[in-house]
Structures are given as structure tokens and as C-alpha cells.
Amino acid sequence: MYEGSSTGDHTLPDGLLKLIEYLAAPKRKPTPKPRPSYPAAPVNGSHMPHMDMTPVAEGSRNDTMKDQVWGWLNRAREHGMSEAQRDYGLDRIRERFTASGLSDREIEDCIRRTSAKLGL
């Protein structure tokens, strides 16, 4: 048989046939993510996401605090949070790291430096 022939075997190779069947199959619809079972904290009529408040072990406190402050301030900037909402999150971060044993000075320095880097 030569290319373009109307006679001969016209079956597709097994791998190609399976690929076509896979691509032609109906796609599953994405399911919505489940809502958390814990309540969000209301601030100025809107709800804030849950924040981890477990104390942080010594040796990883500064890195964890820097990451959490950066994440919170970046989220506040991207989502256009009000100053009260942003401050609420920072107060929760202060509570967490004060309970972890960091001094207020270290916490405030981290918040100040991170705010400056983000232009807040």
C-alpha cells in the first residue's frame, strides 16, 4: 500500500488511537474548593482569611516571620485591603511572634523593612 491509497489497512496505530480517545473524552468540570470549617475574622464588614497562630520554634522564627509579614503585606497590596484590614493581620502576626519569644523590637523592625521593600 502506498500513501493516499484507497485500498488497504486504514487502522490507526494503537497508541495514536488511545491518544485521540483520551483527547476526545469529555473533560471533568473543576469542583470548587471547600470552604474552611473555621470562621474568618470580620474587619470593617469584610472577612479576613484564617491566620496560623501556633507559636514558632526557635531557630526558624525570623524566617517564618519575614515570610508571613511579606505574604500578608503583599496580599494586602494586591487585594486593595483597607488600612484597618492590613493592621488587623499585622496585629495577629505580632501576637504570634510575641508568643514565640521574639522581642517587640525585632517584630517591628521586620514589619518596617518589609513595608519599605513593598513600598507601603
Side-chain angles (χ1 to χ4, degrees), residues 19-79:
L19 176 64
I20 291 172
E21 288 171 353
Y22 171 77
L23 293 174
K27 305 292 186 260
R28 287 187 333 194
K29 292 184 179 175
T31 56
K33 291 184 178 180
R35 295 187 68 70
S37 60
Y38 45 79
V43 175
N44 290 347
S46 63
H47 291 275
M48 306 299 289
H50 175 72
M51 193 175 287
D52 183 8
M53 293 301 292
T54 57
V56 180
E58 193 171 344
S60 63
R61 293 184 302 201
N62 288 332
D63 288 338
T64 304
M65 180 177 56
K66 178 184 59 95
D67 293 343
Q68 192 170 6
V69 170
W70 179 274
W72 182 256
L73 291 176
N74 198 35
R75 178 188 179 104
R77 185 181 65 177
E78 289 175 353
H79 292 274

Side-chain angles (χ1 to χ4, degrees), residues 79-115:
H79 292 274
M81 289 184 190
S82 69
E83 191 172 329
Q85 291 170 321
R86 188 181 71 225
D87 290 346
Y88 171 80
L90 291 176
D91 289 342
R92 301 282 288 169
I93 291 170
R94 285 181 186 103
E95 287 174 34
R96 179 182 188 196
F97 289 96
T98 299
S100 299
L102 281 176
S103 69
D104 291 341
R105 183 171 161 252
E106 286 181 281
I107 296 169
E108 294 306 318
D109 283 348
C110 178
I111 292 171
R112 182 184 46 77
R113 283 191 312 268
T114 306
S115 296

